[in-house]
Amino acid sequence: MPENQAGTMSSGPMLFYTETLIDHFTNPRNVGELAEDACNGYACIGDPGCGDELKLWLRVDQGVIADIRFKSYGCPAAIATSSMLCSLVSGKTIPAALAIHDDDVVQALGGVSENKQHCSLLGIKALRQALLDWSRRMEALE
Ligand code: FES
């Protein structure tokens, strides 16, 4: 049975995806990557538990996340949460972006099945690592 359908199978976990989550999975925002000269922060994060991977590129301009893109090799929840994360942090200052947690991403999607909530951590981890990368690059320029 597809993951996004409610059903009555007798075994295995039941997954229920909200309409917002399905929308971000089927029509993900900010998919792609930034060219080397348009990017000043990058991260590649993997979830050893399931083998999924997320690559995140961002460009900080005057203290604001001016552009952010991702590519994900992951489950529908990983793709939808990455897409929502990009929507939430796009145009935000660094402190405002760092104040966003995986719970905010889950809430913005209208909820994520409990056994899929670890997927929302990928985006947050990648964002923090990409901002750390940005910070190191800025320090190297000083
Ligand atoms: Fe791997 Fe969702 S199952 S990130």
Side-chain angles (χ1 to χ4, degrees), residues 47 50-52 74-75 77-78 116 118-119 122:
D47 182 335
C50 61
D52 289 350
C75 69
K116 284 286 177 181
H118 71 102
C119 313
L122 275 181

Coordinates of all heavy atoms in Angstrom, one line a residue, residues 47 50-52 74-75 77-78 116 118-119 122, ligand 1:
D47 N 21.1 10.4 7.2 CA 20.5 9.8 8.4 C 20.9 8.3 8.3 O 20.5 7.5 7.5 CB 18.9 9.9 8.2 CG 18.2 9.2 9.5 OD1 18.8 8.3 10.1 OD2 17.1 9.6 9.7
C50 N 18.3 5.3 8.2 CA 17.5 4.9 7.0 C 18.2 5.1 5.7 O 17.8 4.7 4.7 CB 16.2 5.7 6.9 SG 16.5 7.5 6.8
G51 N 19.4 5.7 5.8 CA 20.3 5.9 4.6 C 19.9 7.1 3.7 O 20.4 7.3 2.6
D52 N 18.9 7.9 4.2 CA 18.5 9.0 3.3 C 19.6 10.2 3.5 O 20.3 10.2 4.4 CB 17.1 9.6 3.8 CG 16.0 8.6 3.4 OD1 16.3 7.7 2.6 OD2 14.9 8.8 3.9
G74 N 15.5 10.9 -0.4 CA 14.8 10.5 0.8 C 13.3 10.2 0.7 O 12.8 10.2 -0.5
C75 N 12.7 9.9 1.8 CA 11.3 9.5 1.8 C 10.4 10.8 1.6 O 10.9 11.9 1.6 CB 11.0 8.9 3.1 SG 11.0 10.1 4.5
A77 N 8.4 12.3 3.5 CA 8.5 13.2 4.7 C 9.7 14.0 4.6 O 9.8 15.2 5.0 CB 8.3 12.4 6.0
A78 N 10.9 13.4 4.2 CA 12.1 14.1 4.2 C 12.1 15.2 3.1 O 12.5 16.3 3.3 CB 13.3 13.1 3.9
K116 N 7.7 9.2 11.4 CA 8.4 9.9 10.4 C 9.0 11.2 10.9 O 9.5 12.0 10.1 CB 7.4 10.2 9.2 CG 7.1 9.0 8.4 CD 8.3 8.7 7.5 CE 8.1 7.5 6.6 NZ 9.3 7.2 5.8
H118 N 11.5 11.8 12.7 CA 13.0 12.0 12.6 C 13.4 12.5 11.2 O 14.4 13.1 11.1 CB 13.6 10.6 12.8 CG 13.4 9.6 11.7 ND1 14.4 9.4 10.7 CD2 12.3 8.9 11.3 CE1 13.9 8.5 9.8 NE2 12.7 8.2 10.2
C119 N 12.5 12.4 10.2 CA 12.9 12.9 8.9 C 13.0 14.4 8.9 O 13.7 15.0 8.1 CB 11.8 12.5 7.9 SG 11.3 10.8 8.0
L122 N 16.5 16.1 9.5 CA 17.5 16.2 8.4 C 17.6 17.7 8.0 O 18.7 18.2 7.9 CB 17.1 15.4 7.2 CG 17.4 13.9 7.2 CD1 16.9 13.3 5.9 CD2 18.9 13.7 7.3
Ligands
FES1 FE1 14.7 8.4 6.0 FE2 12.4 9.7 6.2 S1 12.7 7.6 6.3 S2 14.4 10.5 6.2

